[in-house]
Amino acid sequence: MVMTATDLPSTEAAAAKPRRSPVGNAYAYLQALPMALIFGVFFLIPIALVVVVSFFDYQSFDILIPDFVTFNYTDVFSSEVTYRTYLQTLTFCLIVWAITLVLGFTIAHFLAFYITSLPLQIVCFLICTIPFWTSNVIRMVSWIPFLGRNGLVNQGLMGAGITDEPIEWLLYSEFAVILGYVHLYTLFMIVPIFNSMIRIDKSLIEAAKDQGATSWQILKNVVIPLSKPGIAIGSVFVLAIVMGDFITVTVLGGGQIASVAKTIQTELSYLQFPPAAANAVVLLGVSILMIFALLRIVDIRKEL
Amino acid sequence: MAKLPYRGLMIAIFIAFVLFLYTPIFTIIILSFQGPDGGLTFPMRGVSLHWFAELFGPQSIGDVWGAFYRSLSLGGLVMVFTVVLSLMAGLAYRRGFLGSTALLYVAIASLIMPSVVVSLGIGAGFELAGVQRHWSTSGLGAHLTWTLPFGLLIIFAVFNRFDPAFEEAARDQGATGWQTIRYVVLPIIAPSLIGIALFGFTLSYDELARSSQAIGAVNTLPIELQAMQTNATTPIIYALGTLTTGLSFLVIGITVGAAMLIRRQQQRQGSDAGKGV
C-alpha cells in the first residue's frame, strides 16, 4: 500500500491553534501589520516595479524614463545569447538538482534512520547545518587552494604521477561552479527531507518488514513516497537558488561562465535598469513555472 | 528495529560528506597563517600572523573595517526586527486573521524569489522615489525579505508544538493578556526565539545577493569580500575569511549554548513560567 503524507492525521497542528476564528480580532491585525508592511514595501511593490520598469525607456544619463516600450523584451528574445545563457543555467539546475537530491536524500536517510540516539542525531544534524550560518563567499573562496593551478588536487595528481601538468579545468570552470553549488546548497535538500522522514511512523516500516518487504522495497514503497513533500520543498529551494545565482558563477566560474542573473547584474552595473528588469521578469516567469510544477506535488502549508 | 543494511557504507558516506563540508574552510584557516612570503596555496612558507597584521595595518584593500562595522550593525538591526516581527506575526496567526494565508504565501514567495530580482526592484523603487539608497534603509528592507520568512516558518513550528493549556491556566488565575505573554509564553519559547535571532543575524551578516542593488554607496563585508577575491593575490583574503568565519562560529556557539542552558534550566525547575510574577 502506498500512503502519502497528506493521508496522515495532523492532530498536533489542529490541537495547537486555540480559538482560531476566521475574522479574528483587532489585536491579530495589529500584530501581523508590521510584517505585512515590510513585505509590502520591500517585496511586493519592488516586484511590481520590476514589471513596470521593464517597459521603461532609458538613456545613459537618464536611467529611468517612464514610457511604455516593448523593445526591452524584444531585445531579450531576439538575442541568441539569451537562449545560450538560459540553456547554461537550466543545465546547471538539472545537474545540481540531481546531485543534491541523491546526496541530500542519502544524508537525510542516514540521519533519520541509521542514528538511533537522539543526542547524536542532534549533533550530526548541527554539524550539517553549521556551515549554513557562515559566509558563502568565504566557502567559495576556500575551494581555491584545492582546485587552483598549484592547488592540492593538482599537487596530489602530479605527485602521484597521474598527470604531468596541472589540470586547468578544476577551477574557474563549469566543474567548479557545480562543485560550489553542491557544497553550498545540499543542506537545502537535507533539512526538508529529514523533516519529512522523522515524521514517518516507525510502525509503518515495521509492518512492511513483517510482511516480508526487503529493505529496498521499504525504501521504494514507504520511505520515498512519505518523503515526497520534503523532496519537493528541497527541490524548490535548490532550483530557485541556482536559477537566480550570479555569485557562485562569478567567483568559481571566473568570468567565463554565464548565468541569467549574472546578465542582469552586468546590465545593472551599467545602470541599464529597464533591460535588466525585462530579463528579470523573464527569469521570474521561468522560475515560477518550475516551482508551480513542483508544488503540484505538495501542499507546503501542511508541512509546518 | 532490526539492523539497517549497508550501515558501514552509510557511515562512510556521512563522514565523507562532513569532510567535504569542512575541509576547505579549515584549509584556508591554516593557510591564513602563511609566512610573509607564502602564497595562496600550499606549501606553507613559515607560520606567522603577518596577514592578520596586514589586515589591521594601513591597507590597500578597501574599507574592510568600515564594511565589517556596517555588517555588524545591519546584522544587529535585522536580528531585532526579525525576532520581534516574527513573534508578533506568530501570535497573530494563533488568533487568526483575514489574509493570513496570503501573508504566508507572500513570505514563501519572498524566500524563494531570485535575490537579484528583489534587489533590482528595491533599487529601482528608491531610484524612482528619488531617495538615496542606504544600508540602514533599503539594505535593511532587502535583508528582512530574506530573514523574515525564516522567522515566520520557525515561529509556526514553535507554536504548532505549544501547549495552549499553559495559557489557559494563566488566564484562569486571572492573568491579563500581556501578563500571559510576558510571564508564560515568552519564557517557554525563549530558546526558539534565540534560534530566530541566530537566523536573523547570521543570514544578514553573510547576505550578498539581495544587498547588491540595495545597499547604496558603501559596502557591507560580504560585498567587500567578493570584490577583494577577484584580485586577491595574497593570503590576506584568507586572514579576513578566518576572522569572519571565527565570528560566525562564535555567534553560533553562543546561541546554541544559550538555548541549551535555558532549556536545561527549564527542565531542572520544571517550567519557570510564572516565576516572574
Side-chain angles (χ1 to χ4, degrees):
Chain A
M1 190 193 75
V2 176
M3 276 182 74
T4 65
T6 45
D7 299 331
L8 292 173
S10 62
T11 44
E12 57 166 9
K17 300 221 172 67
R19 50 182 206 286
R20 170 176 269 235
S21 64
V23 183
N25 62 22
Y27 283 117
Y29 290 94
L30 282 177
Q31 284 165 338
L33 187 66
M35 184 178 279
L37 272 180
I38 296 278
F39 281 129
V41 173
F42 291 102
F43 178 66
L44 293 179
I45 294 177
I47 298 303
L49 279 177
V50 170
V51 179
V52 172
V53 166
S54 69
F55 293 103
F56 277 16
D57 197 356
Y58 65 103
Q59 278 165 12
S60 47
F61 291 105
D62 207 352
I63 59 176
L64 290 168
I65 306 171
D67 200 342
F68 188 84
V69 297
T70 51
F71 56 72
N72 295 314
Y73 284 97
T74 49
D75 284 355
V76 170
F77 286 110
S78 63
S79 160
E80 193 221 333
V81 178
T82 305
Y83 298 98
R84 233 184 302 138
T85 309
Y86 268 91
L87 188 66
Q88 171 91 68
T89 299
L90 290 172
T91 311
F92 278 141
C93 277
L94 199 67
I95 297 172
V96 172
W97 177 69
I99 298 174
T100 54
L101 178 59
V102 173
L103 187 58
F105 186 91
T106 310
I107 300 295
H109 192 232
F110 174 78
L111 290 174
F113 294 112
Y114 284 74
I115 302 181
T116 43
S117 126
L118 183 66
L120 187 61
Q121 199 175 42
I122 294 174
V123 167
C124 287
F125 184 76
L126 270 179
I127 287 175
C128 290
T129 45
I130 282 172
F132 172 66
W133 292 307
T134 65
S135 168
N136 275 358
V137 180
I138 288 302
R139 291 175 69 201
M140 292 172 205
V141 168
S142 68
W143 281 106
I144 292 173
F146 275 85
L147 304 179
R149 214 167 176 282
N150 305 309
L152 285 175
V153 174
N154 273 325
Q155 283 178 19
L157 287 177
M158 291 196 294
I162 297 171
T163 54
D164 294 333
E165 46 191 61
I167 301 172
E168 300 283 353
W169 54 260
L170 287 174
L171 189 61
Y172 306 131
S173 61
E174 287 164 22
F175 168 79
V177 173
I178 292 169
L179 187 78
Y181 284 138
V182 172
H183 184 226
L184 292 167
Y185 304 128
T186 302
L187 174 79
F188 284 94
M189 281 288 189
I190 297 176
V191 173
I193 297 177
F194 174 76
N195 184 43
S196 287
M197 281 178 173
I198 49 167
R199 292 164 182 221
I200 297 176
D201 191 342
K202 296 280 189 292
S203 57
L204 288 174
I205 293 169
E206 287 300 311
K209 205 169 281 168
D210 289 347
Q211 303 283 336
T214 63
S215 42
W216 175 246
Q217 284 174 319
I218 293 174
L219 185 68
K220 189 169 151 261
N221 296 326
V222 181
V223 176
I224 291 180
L226 290 174
S227 307
K228 248 185 204 159
I231 291 171
I233 294 174
S235 304
V236 167
F237 269 117
V238 169
L239 291 177
I241 291 171
V242 177
M243 272 309 283
D245 173 76
F246 61 92
I247 296 159
T248 313
V249 283
T250 308
V251 174
L252 290 173
Q256 311 297 321
I257 293 165
S259 88
V260 180
K262 197 176 156 193
T263 309
I264 297 172
Q265 199 62 20
T266 308
E267 284 166 341
L268 285 173
S269 66
Y270 296 112
L271 289 176
Q272 299 173 335
F273 273 77
N279 254 316
V281 171
V282 177
L283 168 68
L284 201 54
V286 175
S287 305
I288 288 173
L289 279 179
M290 284 167 66
I291 288 162
F292 259 90
L294 270 166
L295 287 187
R296 289 177 67 97
I297 308 171
V298 57
D299 178 357
I300 281 199
R301 186 140 195 199
K302 288 215 174 74
E303 294 313 306
L304 300 170
Chain B
M1 220 162 107
K3 241 188 155 189
L4 287 147
Y6 305 116
R7 200 179 171 79
L9 177 68
M10 289 294 275
I11 293 173
I13 291 175
F14 181 73
I15 291 172
F17 178 70
V18 171
L19 287 178
F20 170 66
L21 272 186
Y22 286 90
T23 313
I25 196 74
F26 283 112
T27 307
I28 68 157
I29 291 175
I30 294 170
L31 284 171
S32 66
F33 294 97
Q34 275 278 25
D37 303 322
L40 283 169
T41 52
F42 288 101
M44 296 285 283
R45 296 184 201 283
V47 175
S48 77
L49 291 172
H50 176 81
W51 302 105
F52 291 93
E54 200 76 339
L55 267 183
F56 286 90
Q59 351 126 354
S60 54
I61 52 165
D63 183 18
V64 169
W65 294 106
F68 180 63
Y69 164 78
R70 284 186 287 275
S71 276
L72 280 183
S73 318
L74 183 54
L77 266 179
V78 171
M79 177 179 83
V80 173
F81 271 89
T82 306
V83 171
V84 173
L85 298 194
S86 304
L87 175 64
M88 286 172 72
L91 293 170
Y93 270 90
R94 301 187 81 213
R95 295 177 195 267
F97 59 98
L98 280 178
S100 56
T101 309
L103 182 60
L104 175 67
Y105 281 135
V106 169
I108 290 172
S110 177
L111 184 62
I112 57 183
M113 181 69 61
S115 297
V116 69
V117 183
V118 181
S119 194
L120 161 60
I122 293 175
F126 273 68
E127 196 65 42
L128 279 172
V131 182
Q132 278 277 321
R133 288 172 253 175
H134 191 261
W135 59 267
S136 63
T137 55
S138 48
L140 175 65
H143 282 202
L144 287 175
T145 65
W146 174 231
T147 60
L148 283 181
F150 283 100
L152 186 65
L153 294 183
I154 297 171
I155 206 83
F156 266 22
V158 170
F159 280 134
N160 268 348
R161 286 163 184 75
F162 190 88
D163 186 350
F166 291 123
E167 289 162 289
E168 274 153 34
R171 261 195 307 277
D172 289 347
Q173 305 278 335
T176 63
W178 169 245
Q179 282 174 325
T180 311
I181 291 175
R182 168 68 185 81
Y183 295 110
V184 178
V185 179
L186 282 187
I188 295 176
I189 66 169
S192 310
L193 291 184
I194 292 177
I196 295 177
L198 172 68
F199 272 84
F201 179 81
T202 58
L203 292 185
S204 162
Y205 179 72
D206 297 321
E207 215 293 323
L208 174 51
R210 291 187 190 212
S211 308
S212 58
Q213 298 304 316
I215 216 73
V218 286
N219 288 341
T220 51
L221 192 60
I223 302 180
E224 197 73 26
L225 268 170
Q226 203 216 336
M228 255 176 88
Q229 73 82 29
T230 32
N231 38 29
T233 48
T234 64
I236 193 163
I237 186 156
Y238 296 156
L240 186 55
T242 300
L243 279 187
T244 180
T245 307
L247 185 96
S248 294
F249 281 160
L250 190 71
V251 170
I252 297 166
I254 290 173
T255 317
V256 173
M260 285 200 311
L261 198 70
I262 293 178
R263 199 155 275 166
R264 188 167 305 162
Q265 254 172 8
Q266 284 177 351
Q267 276 164 358
R268 205 181 310 130
Q269 307 172 345
S271 169
D272 62 350
K275 286 242 155 71
V277 183

